mmCIF file of all heavy atoms in Angstrom:
data_model
loop_
_atom_site.group_PDB
_atom_site.id
_atom_site.type_symbol
_atom_site.label_atom_id
_atom_site.label_comp_id
_atom_site.label_asym_id
_atom_site.label_seq_id
_atom_site.Cartn_x
_atom_site.Cartn_y
_atom_site.Cartn_z
ATOM 1 N N SER A 296 -12.499 -25.130 2.884
ATOM 2 C CA SER A 296 -11.090 -24.635 2.995
ATOM 3 C C SER A 296 -11.080 -23.060 2.962
ATOM 4 O O SER A 296 -11.936 -22.401 2.120
ATOM 5 C CB SER A 296 -10.206 -25.208 1.903
ATOM 6 O OG SER A 296 -8.936 -24.520 1.908
ATOM 7 N N THR A 297 -10.296 -22.499 3.761
ATOM 8 C CA THR A 297 -10.195 -20.963 3.700
ATOM 9 C C THR A 297 -8.944 -20.613 3.024
ATOM 10 O O THR A 297 -8.563 -19.425 3.036
ATOM 11 C CB THR A 297 -10.068 -20.447 5.178
ATOM 12 O OG1 THR A 297 -9.051 -21.093 5.852
ATOM 13 C CG2 THR A 297 -11.458 -20.757 5.903
ATOM 14 N N ASP A 298 -8.168 -21.562 2.490
ATOM 15 C CA ASP A 298 -6.929 -21.086 1.704
ATOM 16 C C ASP A 298 -7.320 -20.282 0.479
ATOM 17 O O ASP A 298 -8.243 -20.402 -0.197
ATOM 18 C CB ASP A 298 -6.137 -22.413 1.168
ATOM 19 C CG ASP A 298 -5.651 -23.215 2.392
ATOM 20 O OD1 ASP A 298 -5.606 -22.661 3.414
ATOM 21 O OD2 ASP A 298 -5.329 -24.394 2.104
ATOM 22 N N ALA A 299 -6.509 -19.248 0.322
ATOM 23 C CA ALA A 299 -6.791 -18.371 -0.829
ATOM 24 C C ALA A 299 -6.416 -19.110 -2.091
ATOM 25 O O ALA A 299 -5.429 -19.938 -2.219
ATOM 26 C CB ALA A 299 -5.754 -17.152 -0.689
ATOM 27 N N THR A 300 -7.058 -18.763 -3.165
ATOM 28 C CA THR A 300 -6.905 -19.286 -4.468
ATOM 29 C C THR A 300 -5.706 -18.453 -5.082
ATOM 30 O O THR A 300 -5.419 -17.480 -4.714
ATOM 31 C CB THR A 300 -8.124 -19.136 -5.351
ATOM 32 O OG1 THR A 300 -8.360 -17.751 -5.618
ATOM 33 C CG2 THR A 300 -9.330 -19.767 -4.813
ATOM 34 N N PRO A 301 -5.101 -19.176 -6.036
ATOM 35 C CA PRO A 301 -4.005 -18.516 -6.788
ATOM 36 C C PRO A 301 -4.408 -17.145 -7.342
ATOM 37 O O PRO A 301 -3.621 -16.222 -7.324
ATOM 38 C CB PRO A 301 -3.611 -19.468 -7.936
ATOM 39 C CG PRO A 301 -3.986 -20.694 -7.440
ATOM 40 C CD PRO A 301 -5.219 -20.464 -6.651
ATOM 41 N N ALA A 302 -5.682 -16.964 -7.675
ATOM 42 C CA ALA A 302 -6.107 -15.603 -8.286
ATOM 43 C C ALA A 302 -6.146 -14.614 -7.253
ATOM 44 O O ALA A 302 -5.984 -13.347 -7.597
ATOM 45 C CB ALA A 302 -7.504 -15.810 -8.927
ATOM 46 N N ASP A 303 -6.222 -15.112 -5.911
ATOM 47 C CA ASP A 303 -6.358 -14.048 -4.825
ATOM 48 C C ASP A 303 -4.895 -13.501 -4.629
ATOM 49 O O ASP A 303 -4.885 -12.244 -4.141
ATOM 50 C CB ASP A 303 -6.823 -14.706 -3.566
ATOM 51 C CG ASP A 303 -8.322 -15.151 -3.736
ATOM 52 O OD1 ASP A 303 -8.985 -14.336 -4.331
ATOM 53 O OD2 ASP A 303 -8.628 -15.972 -2.978
ATOM 54 N N ARG A 304 -3.851 -14.243 -4.694
ATOM 55 C CA ARG A 304 -2.617 -13.674 -4.300
ATOM 56 C C ARG A 304 -2.096 -12.556 -4.962
ATOM 57 O O ARG A 304 -1.624 -11.691 -4.308
ATOM 58 C CB ARG A 304 -1.592 -15.031 -4.419
ATOM 59 C CG ARG A 304 -2.006 -16.245 -3.486
ATOM 60 C CD ARG A 304 -0.957 -17.190 -3.442
ATOM 61 N NE ARG A 304 -1.365 -18.286 -2.574
ATOM 62 C CZ ARG A 304 -1.754 -19.474 -2.976
ATOM 63 N NH1 ARG A 304 -1.827 -19.659 -4.406
ATOM 64 N NH2 ARG A 304 -2.132 -20.482 -2.369
ATOM 65 N N PRO A 305 -2.121 -12.447 -6.362
ATOM 66 C CA PRO A 305 -1.758 -11.208 -6.987
ATOM 67 C C PRO A 305 -2.426 -9.924 -6.429
ATOM 68 O O PRO A 305 -1.877 -8.840 -6.287
ATOM 69 C CB PRO A 305 -2.071 -11.436 -8.424
ATOM 70 C CG PRO A 305 -1.999 -12.873 -8.543
ATOM 71 C CD PRO A 305 -2.644 -13.376 -7.329
ATOM 72 N N LEU A 306 -3.780 -10.153 -6.141
ATOM 73 C CA LEU A 306 -4.555 -8.975 -5.529
ATOM 74 C C LEU A 306 -3.910 -8.516 -4.216
ATOM 75 O O LEU A 306 -3.810 -7.462 -3.899
ATOM 76 C CB LEU A 306 -5.999 -9.419 -5.356
ATOM 77 C CG LEU A 306 -6.682 -9.601 -6.664
ATOM 78 C CD1 LEU A 306 -8.247 -10.033 -6.356
ATOM 79 C CD2 LEU A 306 -6.809 -8.278 -7.549
ATOM 80 N N ARG A 307 -3.630 -9.509 -3.384
ATOM 81 C CA ARG A 307 -2.976 -9.192 -2.081
ATOM 82 C C ARG A 307 -1.660 -8.508 -2.250
ATOM 83 O O ARG A 307 -1.319 -7.621 -1.512
ATOM 84 C CB ARG A 307 -2.845 -10.330 -1.156
ATOM 85 C CG ARG A 307 -4.213 -10.914 -0.632
ATOM 86 C CD ARG A 307 -4.045 -11.645 0.788
ATOM 87 N NE ARG A 307 -3.205 -12.827 0.443
ATOM 88 C CZ ARG A 307 -3.711 -14.077 0.270
ATOM 89 N NH1 ARG A 307 -5.035 -14.160 0.071
ATOM 90 N NH2 ARG A 307 -2.944 -15.104 0.136
ATOM 91 N N ARG A 308 -0.774 -9.051 -3.285
ATOM 92 C CA ARG A 308 0.409 -8.426 -3.495
ATOM 93 C C ARG A 308 0.320 -7.048 -4.026
ATOM 94 O O ARG A 308 1.009 -6.053 -3.658
ATOM 95 C CB ARG A 308 1.225 -9.195 -4.489
ATOM 96 C CG ARG A 308 1.784 -10.586 -3.913
ATOM 97 C CD ARG A 308 2.865 -11.065 -4.800
ATOM 98 N NE ARG A 308 2.382 -11.552 -6.084
ATOM 99 C CZ ARG A 308 1.913 -12.754 -6.321
ATOM 100 N NH1 ARG A 308 1.879 -13.644 -5.323
ATOM 101 N NH2 ARG A 308 1.478 -12.994 -7.509
ATOM 102 N N ASP A 309 -0.682 -6.833 -4.913
ATOM 103 C CA ASP A 309 -0.983 -5.451 -5.343
ATOM 104 C C ASP A 309 -1.428 -4.477 -4.267
ATOM 105 O O ASP A 309 -0.980 -3.273 -4.232
ATOM 106 C CB ASP A 309 -2.121 -5.499 -6.483
ATOM 107 C CG ASP A 309 -1.628 -6.095 -7.763
ATOM 108 O OD1 ASP A 309 -0.369 -6.173 -7.980
ATOM 109 O OD2 ASP A 309 -2.482 -6.423 -8.604
ATOM 110 N N ALA A 310 -2.284 -5.007 -3.290
ATOM 111 C CA ALA A 310 -2.737 -4.211 -2.287
ATOM 112 C C ALA A 310 -1.525 -3.742 -1.390
ATOM 113 O O ALA A 310 -1.429 -2.649 -0.971
ATOM 114 C CB ALA A 310 -3.750 -5.000 -1.444
ATOM 115 N N GLU A 311 -0.599 -4.766 -1.126
ATOM 116 C CA GLU A 311 0.488 -4.467 -0.238
ATOM 117 C C GLU A 311 1.420 -3.468 -0.980
ATOM 118 O O GLU A 311 1.994 -2.482 -0.311
ATOM 119 C CB GLU A 311 1.251 -5.700 0.065
ATOM 120 C CG GLU A 311 2.576 -5.425 0.848
ATOM 121 C CD GLU A 311 2.262 -4.677 2.295
ATOM 122 O OE1 GLU A 311 1.109 -4.838 2.726
ATOM 123 O OE2 GLU A 311 3.141 -4.154 2.807
ATOM 124 N N ARG A 312 1.664 -3.622 -2.314
ATOM 125 C CA ARG A 312 2.483 -2.600 -3.020
ATOM 126 C C ARG A 312 1.902 -1.210 -2.907
ATOM 127 O O ARG A 312 2.546 -0.285 -2.850
ATOM 128 C CB ARG A 312 2.615 -3.048 -4.517
ATOM 129 C CG ARG A 312 3.714 -4.128 -4.754
ATOM 130 C CD ARG A 312 4.069 -4.236 -6.290
ATOM 131 N NE ARG A 312 3.061 -4.557 -7.054
ATOM 132 C CZ ARG A 312 2.667 -5.826 -7.477
ATOM 133 N NH1 ARG A 312 3.523 -6.776 -6.850
ATOM 134 N NH2 ARG A 312 1.586 -6.161 -8.119
ATOM 135 N N ASN A 313 0.545 -1.246 -3.133
ATOM 136 C CA ASN A 313 -0.162 0.150 -3.044
ATOM 137 C C ASN A 313 0.077 0.698 -1.675
ATOM 138 O O ASN A 313 0.215 1.943 -1.471
ATOM 139 C CB ASN A 313 -1.621 0.029 -3.371
ATOM 140 C CG ASN A 313 -1.926 -0.178 -4.815
ATOM 141 O OD1 ASN A 313 -1.043 0.324 -5.611
ATOM 142 N ND2 ASN A 313 -3.077 -0.624 -5.186
ATOM 143 N N ARG A 314 -0.111 -0.189 -0.604
ATOM 144 C CA ARG A 314 0.089 0.406 0.753
ATOM 145 C C ARG A 314 1.467 0.918 0.899
ATOM 146 O O ARG A 314 1.617 2.026 1.533
ATOM 147 C CB ARG A 314 -0.150 -0.781 1.817
ATOM 148 C CG ARG A 314 -0.114 -0.348 3.300
ATOM 149 C CD ARG A 314 -0.442 -1.486 4.171
ATOM 150 N NE ARG A 314 -0.339 -1.149 5.606
ATOM 151 C CZ ARG A 314 0.702 -0.983 6.344
ATOM 152 N NH1 ARG A 314 1.873 -1.341 5.770
ATOM 153 N NH2 ARG A 314 0.629 -0.659 7.595
ATOM 154 N N GLN A 315 2.508 0.333 0.475
ATOM 155 C CA GLN A 315 3.796 0.769 0.553
ATOM 156 C C GLN A 315 4.060 2.023 -0.212
ATOM 157 O O GLN A 315 4.762 2.932 0.239
ATOM 158 C CB GLN A 315 4.866 -0.376 0.198
ATOM 159 C CG GLN A 315 4.833 -1.591 1.035
ATOM 160 C CD GLN A 315 5.249 -1.215 2.436
ATOM 161 O OE1 GLN A 315 6.090 -0.318 2.761
ATOM 162 N NE2 GLN A 315 4.494 -1.855 3.451
ATOM 163 N N ARG A 316 3.439 2.129 -1.351
ATOM 164 C CA ARG A 316 3.497 3.428 -2.102
ATOM 165 C C ARG A 316 2.878 4.619 -1.415
ATOM 166 O O ARG A 316 3.339 5.727 -1.442
ATOM 167 C CB ARG A 316 2.858 3.247 -3.544
ATOM 168 C CG ARG A 316 3.636 2.305 -4.451
ATOM 169 C CD ARG A 316 2.943 1.818 -5.632
ATOM 170 N NE ARG A 316 2.678 2.935 -6.608
ATOM 171 C CZ ARG A 316 1.920 2.949 -7.676
ATOM 172 N NH1 ARG A 316 1.408 1.783 -8.060
ATOM 173 N NH2 ARG A 316 1.774 3.879 -8.510
ATOM 174 N N ILE A 317 1.716 4.281 -0.826
ATOM 175 C CA ILE A 317 1.062 5.274 0.033
ATOM 176 C C ILE A 317 1.988 5.794 1.166
ATOM 177 O O ILE A 317 2.124 6.961 1.463
ATOM 178 C CB ILE A 317 -0.273 4.844 0.485
ATOM 179 C CG1 ILE A 317 -1.268 4.625 -0.640
ATOM 180 C CG2 ILE A 317 -0.958 5.703 1.596
ATOM 181 C CD1 ILE A 317 -2.440 3.674 -0.276
ATOM 182 N N LEU A 318 2.479 4.832 1.941
ATOM 183 C CA LEU A 318 3.354 5.175 3.057
ATOM 184 C C LEU A 318 4.555 5.917 2.626
ATOM 185 O O LEU A 318 4.918 6.951 3.300
ATOM 186 C CB LEU A 318 3.753 3.843 3.779
ATOM 187 C CG LEU A 318 2.687 3.171 4.537
ATOM 188 C CD1 LEU A 318 3.083 1.739 5.039
ATOM 189 C CD2 LEU A 318 2.205 4.004 5.710
ATOM 190 N N GLN A 319 5.199 5.481 1.548
ATOM 191 C CA GLN A 319 6.307 6.229 1.046
ATOM 192 C C GLN A 319 6.004 7.627 0.611
ATOM 193 O O GLN A 319 6.709 8.643 0.927
ATOM 194 C CB GLN A 319 7.034 5.521 -0.228
ATOM 195 C CG GLN A 319 8.217 6.145 -0.820
ATOM 196 C CD GLN A 319 9.445 6.278 0.212
ATOM 197 O OE1 GLN A 319 9.589 5.365 1.021
ATOM 198 N NE2 GLN A 319 10.110 7.275 0.119
ATOM 199 N N ALA A 320 4.959 7.822 -0.033
ATOM 200 C CA ALA A 320 4.460 9.152 -0.510
ATOM 201 C C ALA A 320 4.170 9.996 0.694
ATOM 202 O O ALA A 320 4.609 11.246 0.750
ATOM 203 C CB ALA A 320 3.260 8.990 -1.406
ATOM 204 N N ALA A 321 3.498 9.424 1.603
ATOM 205 C CA ALA A 321 3.103 10.196 2.831
ATOM 206 C C ALA A 321 4.367 10.628 3.585
ATOM 207 O O ALA A 321 4.424 11.797 4.113
ATOM 208 C CB ALA A 321 2.184 9.395 3.720
ATOM 209 N N ALA A 322 5.240 9.735 3.676
ATOM 210 C CA ALA A 322 6.535 10.062 4.463
ATOM 211 C C ALA A 322 7.262 11.187 3.840
ATOM 212 O O ALA A 322 7.708 12.133 4.448
ATOM 213 C CB ALA A 322 7.457 8.817 4.494
ATOM 214 N N GLU A 323 7.321 11.186 2.502
ATOM 215 C CA GLU A 323 8.006 12.266 1.684
ATOM 216 C C GLU A 323 7.208 13.687 1.904
ATOM 217 O O GLU A 323 7.861 14.681 2.193
ATOM 218 C CB GLU A 323 8.058 11.967 0.290
ATOM 219 C CG GLU A 323 9.023 10.879 -0.080
ATOM 220 C CD GLU A 323 8.854 10.277 -1.516
ATOM 221 O OE1 GLU A 323 8.069 10.974 -2.189
ATOM 222 O OE2 GLU A 323 9.551 9.310 -1.896
ATOM 223 N N LEU A 324 6.001 13.593 1.810
ATOM 224 C CA LEU A 324 5.092 14.862 1.869
ATOM 225 C C LEU A 324 5.103 15.412 3.221
ATOM 226 O O LEU A 324 5.172 16.524 3.494
ATOM 227 C CB LEU A 324 3.717 14.596 1.371
ATOM 228 C CG LEU A 324 3.566 14.397 -0.194
ATOM 229 C CD1 LEU A 324 2.203 13.992 -0.457
ATOM 230 C CD2 LEU A 324 3.715 15.687 -0.942
ATOM 231 N N PHE A 325 5.003 14.419 4.292
ATOM 232 C CA PHE A 325 4.924 14.917 5.660
ATOM 233 C C PHE A 325 6.304 15.580 6.024
ATOM 234 O O PHE A 325 6.385 16.478 6.758
ATOM 235 C CB PHE A 325 4.641 13.846 6.611
ATOM 236 C CG PHE A 325 3.177 13.403 6.610
ATOM 237 C CD1 PHE A 325 2.759 12.068 6.877
ATOM 238 C CD2 PHE A 325 2.129 14.193 6.268
ATOM 239 C CE1 PHE A 325 1.568 11.644 6.847
ATOM 240 C CE2 PHE A 325 0.759 13.848 6.136
ATOM 241 C CZ PHE A 325 0.443 12.500 6.536
ATOM 242 N N ALA A 326 7.367 15.010 5.476
ATOM 243 C CA ALA A 326 8.763 15.509 5.882
ATOM 244 C C ALA A 326 8.934 16.926 5.239
ATOM 245 O O ALA A 326 9.582 17.768 5.797
ATOM 246 C CB ALA A 326 9.774 14.499 5.423
ATOM 247 N N GLU A 327 8.364 17.022 4.002
ATOM 248 C CA GLU A 327 8.589 18.192 3.201
ATOM 249 C C GLU A 327 7.720 19.457 3.731
ATOM 250 O O GLU A 327 8.152 20.507 3.850
ATOM 251 C CB GLU A 327 8.313 18.003 1.771
ATOM 252 C CG GLU A 327 9.284 17.071 1.121
ATOM 253 C CD GLU A 327 8.710 16.604 -0.229
ATOM 254 O OE1 GLU A 327 7.743 17.165 -0.689
ATOM 255 O OE2 GLU A 327 9.328 15.747 -0.816
ATOM 256 N N ALA A 328 6.429 18.981 4.084
ATOM 257 C CA ALA A 328 5.412 20.068 4.119
ATOM 258 C C ALA A 328 4.763 20.014 5.570
ATOM 259 O O ALA A 328 3.843 20.834 5.868
ATOM 260 C CB ALA A 328 4.409 20.038 2.996
ATOM 261 N N GLY A 329 4.907 18.972 6.335
ATOM 262 C CA GLY A 329 4.202 18.834 7.624
ATOM 263 C C GLY A 329 2.909 18.064 7.478
ATOM 264 O O GLY A 329 2.560 17.609 6.475
ATOM 265 N N LEU A 330 2.171 18.077 8.538
ATOM 266 C CA LEU A 330 1.065 17.086 8.567
ATOM 267 C C LEU A 330 -0.225 17.720 8.253
ATOM 268 O O LEU A 330 -1.312 16.980 8.272
ATOM 269 C CB LEU A 330 0.878 16.734 10.208
ATOM 270 C CG LEU A 330 2.091 15.928 10.815
ATOM 271 C CD1 LEU A 330 1.843 15.675 12.354
ATOM 272 C CD2 LEU A 330 2.383 14.703 10.037
ATOM 273 N N ASP A 331 -0.222 18.796 7.595
ATOM 274 C CA ASP A 331 -1.374 19.458 7.020
ATOM 275 C C ASP A 331 -1.627 18.931 5.627
ATOM 276 O O ASP A 331 -2.634 19.312 4.898
ATOM 277 C CB ASP A 331 -1.363 20.980 7.024
ATOM 278 C CG ASP A 331 -1.473 21.580 8.378
ATOM 279 O OD1 ASP A 331 -2.064 20.941 9.185
ATOM 280 O OD2 ASP A 331 -0.881 22.662 8.582
ATOM 281 N N VAL A 332 -0.722 18.123 5.048
ATOM 282 C CA VAL A 332 -0.887 17.510 3.752
ATOM 283 C C VAL A 332 -2.192 16.653 3.838
ATOM 284 O O VAL A 332 -2.443 15.986 4.773
ATOM 285 C CB VAL A 332 0.289 16.558 3.436
ATOM 286 C CG1 VAL A 332 0.010 15.652 2.322
ATOM 287 C CG2 VAL A 332 1.638 17.458 3.153
ATOM 288 N N THR A 333 -2.971 16.688 2.721
ATOM 289 C CA THR A 333 -4.226 15.969 2.809
ATOM 290 C C THR A 333 -3.973 14.497 2.089
ATOM 291 O O THR A 333 -2.983 14.278 1.402
ATOM 292 C CB THR A 333 -5.189 16.738 1.813
ATOM 293 O OG1 THR A 333 -4.705 16.669 0.474
ATOM 294 C CG2 THR A 333 -5.471 18.071 2.269
ATOM 295 N N LEU A 334 -4.958 13.772 2.317
ATOM 296 C CA LEU A 334 -4.899 12.318 1.819
ATOM 297 C C LEU A 334 -5.009 12.446 0.205
ATOM 298 O O LEU A 334 -4.378 11.520 -0.390
ATOM 299 C CB LEU A 334 -6.060 11.482 2.336
ATOM 300 C CG LEU A 334 -5.879 11.098 3.812
ATOM 301 C CD1 LEU A 334 -6.960 10.106 4.199
ATOM 302 C CD2 LEU A 334 -4.547 10.441 4.080
#
């Protein structure tokens, strides 16, 4: 079976939360300072 185990699911949720935090932070910084902002 390729189904994820219950232990996997929180990791995926954490990863998605981090992704959204990254996108939100980048959106704010790019809007304020432009695209020269670093990762």
Side-chain angles (χ1 to χ4, degrees):
S296 172
T297 58
D298 292 344
T300 66
D303 291 328
R304 295 190 183 101
L306 292 176
R307 286 208 297 270
R308 287 197 295 270
D309 287 347
E311 179 57 23
R312 279 198 296 270
N313 283 339
R314 183 177 184 275
Q315 292 305 318
R316 290 168 70 180
I317 291 165
L318 289 171
Q319 179 63 33
E323 294 170 0
L324 286 167
F325 288 152
E327 296 166 8
L330 299 177
D331 289 333
V332 167
T333 67
L334 292 183

